[in-house]
Amino acid sequence: KQLTSYRAWLQYQPILNQDYISDIKAQFSKISVADENEIISSCITELSVALKEMVGFTPVVDYQHTHKVGLHLTINKALPEEAYQLNESQKVLRLSGGSSRALLYGTFHLLRLIQRQAQLSDLNITEQPKNPVRMINHWDDMDGSVERGYAGRSFFYEDYQFIQDRQRIQDYARLLSSVGINALTINNVNVHQKETELITDTYLKEVSQTSDIFNQYGITMYLSINYAAPIEIGGLNTADPLDEGVKRFWQDTVANVYQAVPRLGGFLVKADSENRPGPFTYGRNHAEGANMLAEAIKPFGGKVIWRCFVYDCKQDWRDRKTDRARAAYDHFMPLDGQFADNVILQIKNGPMDFQVREPVSPLIGGLAKTNQFLEFQIAQEYLGQQRHLVYLIPQWKEVLEFDTYAKGEGTKVKDVVSGEVFNNKVAGIVAVSNVGRDYNWTGHTFAQLNLYGYGRLIWNPDLTAEEIALEWIEQTFGLNKSVVDAIGAMVMPSWQAYENYTSPLGIGWMVNVNHHYGPNIDGYEYMAWGTYHFADRDGLGVDRTIKSGTGYIGQYHEANSKYYEELESCPDELLLFFHHVPYTYQLKSGKTVIQHIYDTHFKGVEQVEAMIKIWNEVSEHIDEQRHHDVKARLEHQLWSAKEWRDIINTYFYRKSGIADQHNRTIY
Ligand code: GCW
């Protein structure tokens, strides 16, 4: 029997309420289905397993549609492809969907309602995802490691081979489709030597088998490719996108790939970024680089997803003009309109790199004639690496609600990336995965919530962070009110808490080099990566203003650039991202910068102490394994938060010489 924690939010725990059970029995004992295919059979399997476990019976399935009562699954082509409706009347529960995939989403919706013991009579629900593409990127390497992985090794590969036991992949596909994910990549964007061969006969058979598993759950698989593949596996001496031999290499390679994996979605490319090869080597721009691949893959309906994480990672820290935050916009904005229609630019949510607080990338809302995906990171690389409890949905909601002013007031990020504002052919959201081989998938059990919430949020960005958390808590831990309230109270302030005890006011970084865990204020200060805080005895922050700084602020539409440029309007939480100010500068909160630093750092630690107290109070209602594991992580988090607090406070006390108004201990 599977461990409770392995099941994540698909617990299917036995329901004890007898009245509820008899209702469900009446409604589900017979299921009739109009169509038969692999996705519909996933629906039936899921319903059968879930009902057996939750209410103790196996439904009778009728493919002829003769049952007069029970659950009816039908495809209704009048509905949008991924939309579904759930209706109940006169003892018939109807689930209709625009496609089999929509039926699968509706099936999981029903099971979610049953797990939460919701009433199904008079049900009348219509659902349609906001974002057409809802994707996960894995940073798994074929040696079995996961770049920025905090939940154990890869469950796709070990020792440069695909793992033969595919059960785990299938369970993963179930988890993903249960929250509406419809696309994923299975290998790291940093494509090393062996992974370059994923598009060759060496691995294509297994690539295809893996794709088949995901397809059963309505998920389209993509591969990350190496831009220098023509050299590394094609025997050519160039990867120049305008070279005829290179074009031929890609056409032949793509034809071979699609013969083996006809339903492959396409390729994801990290080019000219952090030492990866790309078109710059040949004096070509990124539109030339991407369009060549797009042309090769187009006959097969494939797409090329091209990352915008392009910046100079070998900059001289003495050079005060170069600003990494500017890089993506500077590289890609001039190319707006030049990309083929099956190319999608993938843009990280902020201009730097998944920090606890960043402004929204100005490319989003900047690009008006290019397909784009927004990229989030579910893996908590800079947010406590799944050892700290940090609920990410509140952060992502701020990004999605941000007004870009691209078409005047009210042009929110959520409407740009969904493709609605600019009428894009392809649009959606992508995130870096946080799962691995750990028994509970995500290292920290609470990190499951970020995966769950990611899927739910990008399906419907108008869900609140509270609603999403509540759904996950009830499915994962059951309906006991004290447990539900306790966990809600732990997760809701957790992003704020993390921000409080780590780097202040939007400045970011201050982490240890390479592994990025734990405080190291000057860790990156004299390095080549372009991530500086410029603290001296008088103040800190990066001047990114138009008038005296790097000019980054000028990349936003006017309403936003004015807002950030002026100290009077620039919001406190991003102050040091945009401005260099003295420690004595007074924030809108009324505090000075230095006092804010002290206060938030003491507070952040207290917030973690409060989480621990809450968790201890509900121990008797939670299975021992999950309780014990979370508790151990919370205790580590407290230790780490204190380390952050004391190092940050001490550093700025020593730099500024200004004492804490409340005389608390600073070293
Ligand atoms: O955040 C940085 C990570 C790298 C990662 C890179 C990227 C996959 O530190 O590990 O490489 O971003 O997004 O490409």
Side-chain angles (χ1 to χ4, degrees):
K1 193 165 151 69
Q2 283 166 355
L3 293 164
T4 310
S5 31
Y6 179 82
R7 296 181 165 220
W9 55 87
L10 298 180
Q11 290 287 318
Y12 302 148
Q13 293 288 348
I15 292 175
L16 304 175
N17 176 342
Q18 287 308 322
D19 293 342
Y20 192 76
I21 295 181
S22 21
D23 287 353
I24 296 298
K25 275 195 178 144
Q27 272 154 331
F28 286 86
S29 55
K30 292 177 176 150
I31 301 180
S32 78
V33 203
D35 261 302
E36 259 188 281
N37 62 42
E38 56 173 358
I39 296 180
I40 289 182
S41 95
S42 296
C43 297
I44 301 299
T45 311
E46 198 69 29
L47 281 164
S48 306
V49 168
L51 291 169
K52 177 111 215 333
E53 301 201 348
M54 288 192 285
V55 286
F57 76 90
T58 308
V60 180
V61 183
D62 160 26
Y63 290 90
Q64 311 306 324
H65 244 329
T66 50
H67 289 150
K68 297 278 175 285
V69 292
L71 171 66
H72 288 205
L73 266 61
T74 45
I75 293 197
N76 175 0
K77 292 280 183 201
L79 289 173
E81 201 200 331
E82 293 193 294
Y84 60 84
Q85 289 180 326
L86 284 163
N87 292 297
E88 200 276 349
S89 67
Q90 295 173 343
K91 302 220 166 66
V92 184
L93 190 55
R94 286 189 191 77
L95 166 57
S96 53
S99 62
S100 319
R101 199 188 321 149
L103 290 180
L104 187 57
Y105 299 145
T107 297
F108 279 114
H109 190 144
L110 266 177
L111 293 174
R112 191 151 67 223
L113 292 172
I114 298 174
Q115 282 202 293
R116 301 176 70 195
Q117 296 184 33
Q119 284 311 316
L120 303 183
S121 48
D122 299 325
L123 210 59
N124 187 4
I125 293 173
T126 302
E127 283 276 339
Q128 188 189 348
K130 169 93 167 173
N131 291 287
V133 176
R134 303 175 302 280
M135 189 176 205
I136 297 278
N137 285 173
H138 277 263
W139 286 356
D140 295 33
D141 291 323
M142 289 195 78
D143 64 359
S145 64
V146 179
E147 183 157 347
R148 312 305 175 186
Y150 312 107
R153 293 174 72 73
S154 168
F155 50 74
F156 290 104
Y157 322 101
E158 188 59 67
D159 212 6
Y160 303 105
Q161 301 298 328
F162 277 82
I163 291 174
Q164 291 307 313
D165 180 357
R166 305 251 163 73
Q167 185 59 47
R168 181 115 197 185
I169 297 177
Q170 178 152 352
D171 287 337
Y172 180 50
R174 289 175 49 227
L175 287 172
L176 293 186
S177 71
S178 77
V179 292
I181 300 297
N182 65 5
L184 98 165
T185 52
I186 57 164
N187 66 306
N188 191 355
V189 288
N190 291 324
V191 184
H192 311 290
Q193 197 194 339
K194 270 294 187 187
E195 293 83 1
T196 304
E197 293 177 35
L198 279 168
I199 51 173
T200 69
D201 291 337
T202 312
Y203 292 121
L204 276 176
K205 193 166 149 241
E206 282 156 310
V207 168
S208 154
Q209 290 164 347
T210 309
S211 165
D212 287 345
I213 299 175
F214 286 108
N215 292 161
Q216 278 168 28
Y217 289 89
I219 300 166
T220 302
M221 202 177 89
Y222 291 67
L223 291 173
S224 301
I225 56 140
N226 180 345
Y227 203 77
I231 301 171
E232 302 210 359
I233 57 175
L236 305 181
N237 57 15
T238 178
D240 180 352
L242 301 193
D243 180 274
E244 288 306 320
V246 170
K247 288 188 192 169
R248 219 171 309 117
F249 164 84
W250 280 113
Q251 284 157 6
D252 295 347
T253 301
V254 165
N256 193 45
V257 167
Y258 272 86
Q259 185 157 33
V261 198
R263 291 186 286 178
L264 191 77
F267 296 149
L268 170 62
V269 193
K270 172 175 177 177
D272 293 314
S273 163
E274 300 186 329
N275 307 313
R276 304 314 299 158
F280 284 166
T281 312
Y282 311 99
R284 313 299 180 195
N285 70 35
H286 278 213
E288 291 168 315
N291 290 347
M292 177 273 297
L293 287 172
E295 197 183 316
I297 210 167
K298 194 170 176 115
F300 306 92
K303 300 184 178 75
V304 173
I305 307 169
W306 191 271
R307 292 179 89 230
C308 295
F309 189 55
V310 178
Y311 69 98
D312 181 3
C313 65
K314 299 202 173 95
Q315 97 173 62
D316 185 342
W317 61 268
R318 299 167 193 83
D319 161 18
R320 294 292 297 262
K321 291 221 170 52
T322 304
D323 177 6
R324 171 167 164 183
R326 294 188 55 117
Y329 188 99
D330 283 346
H331 283 298
F332 288 93
M333 199 54 204
L335 303 176
D336 191 19
Q338 294 181 31
F339 289 91
D341 66 358
N342 60 332
V343 173
I344 304 105
L345 295 187
Q346 182 166 313
I347 309 162
K348 289 192 183 187
N349 64 273
M352 297 299 276
D353 194 8
F354 304 132
Q355 301 301 293
V356 66
R357 176 76 67 175
E358 282 186 49
V360 168
S361 168
L363 260 187
I364 300 165
L367 294 170
K369 290 173 277 184
T370 306
N371 296 319
Q372 51 196 289
F373 287 162
L374 166 65
E375 180 179 343
F376 287 130
Q377 191 183 44
I378 318 178
Q380 294 166 237
E381 177 176 359
Y382 295 97
L383 284 113
Q385 305 195 347
Q386 291 157 232
R387 302 174 81 186
H388 295 221
L389 192 174
V390 182
Y391 181 33
L392 299 172
I393 303 305
Q395 185 196 41
W396 297 338
K397 279 195 76 75
E398 287 199 9
V399 173
L400 293 171
E401 292 300 323
F402 179 74
D403 195 344
T404 67
Y405 287 87
K407 286 193 173 172
E409 195 179 345
T411 320
K412 293 190 171 180
V413 168
K414 65 180 177 188
D415 303 317
V416 174
V417 300
S418 69
E420 288 155 287
V421 170
F422 295 112
N423 229 326
N424 302 98
K425 209 174 152 220
V426 196
I429 304 185
V430 173
V432 180
S433 143
N434 69 343
V435 299
R437 222 182 287 170
D438 275 2
Y439 72 95
N440 64 356
W441 298 92
T442 50
H444 203 308
T445 301
F446 280 55
Q448 292 174 0
L449 169 57
N450 290 325
L451 178 60
Y452 179 86
Y454 168 70
R456 297 290 292 131
L457 179 70
I458 66 172
W459 177 281
N460 178 6
D462 293 330
L463 290 171
T464 66
E466 288 85 351
E467 284 168 330
I468 291 173
L470 183 64
E471 286 183 4
W472 175 79
I473 298 166
E474 292 194 343
Q475 292 173 82
T476 309
F477 287 99
L479 304 180
N480 181 324
K481 180 124 175 33
S482 58
V483 173
V484 172
D485 291 347
I487 298 179
M490 291 167 73
V491 301
M492 284 314 298
S494 59
W495 170 47
Q496 194 68 62
Y498 189 84
E499 181 175 32
N500 282 342
Y501 61 76
T502 59
S503 109
L505 297 167
I507 189 80
W509 308 95
M510 303 189 175
V511 291
N512 283 302
V513 174
N514 298 329
H515 61 73
H516 299 162
Y517 190 76
N520 184 346
I521 297 175
D522 287 332
Y524 276 101
E525 199 59 15
Y526 307 101
M527 297 276 284
W529 298 87
T531 55
Y532 314 114
H533 56 69
F534 302 121
D536 59 23
R537 65 176 186 176
D538 300 317
L540 82 161
V542 188
D543 185 353
R544 293 191 161 107
T545 61
I546 304 167
K547 60 177 168 296
S548 57
T550 69
Y552 164 78
I553 289 177
Q555 295 182 340
Y556 290 94
H557 290 287
E558 202 189 340
N560 283 328
S561 67
K562 277 198 179 136
Y563 176 61
Y564 291 137
E565 177 86 3
E566 301 308 326
L567 273 172
E568 295 69 49
S569 49
C570 185
D572 283 353
E573 69 271 14
L574 284 168
L575 183 71
L576 302 178
F577 191 92
F578 291 117
H579 297 273
H580 186 94
V581 297
Y583 296 115
T584 51
Y585 178 82
Q586 196 183 342
L587 297 169
K588 296 186 177 50
S589 67
K591 292 180 183 176
T592 59
V593 166
I594 190 74
Q595 193 58 39
H596 172 93
I597 292 176
Y598 298 149
D599 288 352
T600 49
H601 285 77
F602 285 110
K603 180 164 183 211
V605 170
E606 287 160 16
Q607 288 175 297
V608 179
E609 283 166 344
M611 284 182 204
I612 295 179
K613 186 162 174 283
I614 298 172
W615 188 243
N616 287 341
E617 280 164 9
V618 291
S619 64
E620 57 183 312
H621 303 300
I622 291 169
D623 53 293
E624 208 187 309
Q625 187 190 33
R626 288 189 298 183
H627 193 272
H628 178 84
D629 196 351
V630 168
K631 187 178 157 117
R633 279 170 202 261
L634 286 170
E635 275 159 8
H636 167 79
Q637 180 175 1
L638 179 60
W639 173 86
S640 175
K642 285 181 179 163
E643 201 69 0
W644 270 101
R645 174 195 65 192
D646 292 337
I647 290 177
I648 295 265
N649 283 347
T650 302
Y651 179 98
F652 288 105
Y653 172 62
R654 290 181 188 172
K655 276 256 148 129
S656 68
I658 302 171
D660 170 32
Q661 286 169 357
H662 306 295
N663 274 321
R664 290 163 290 195
T665 308
I666 294 177
Y667 299 88

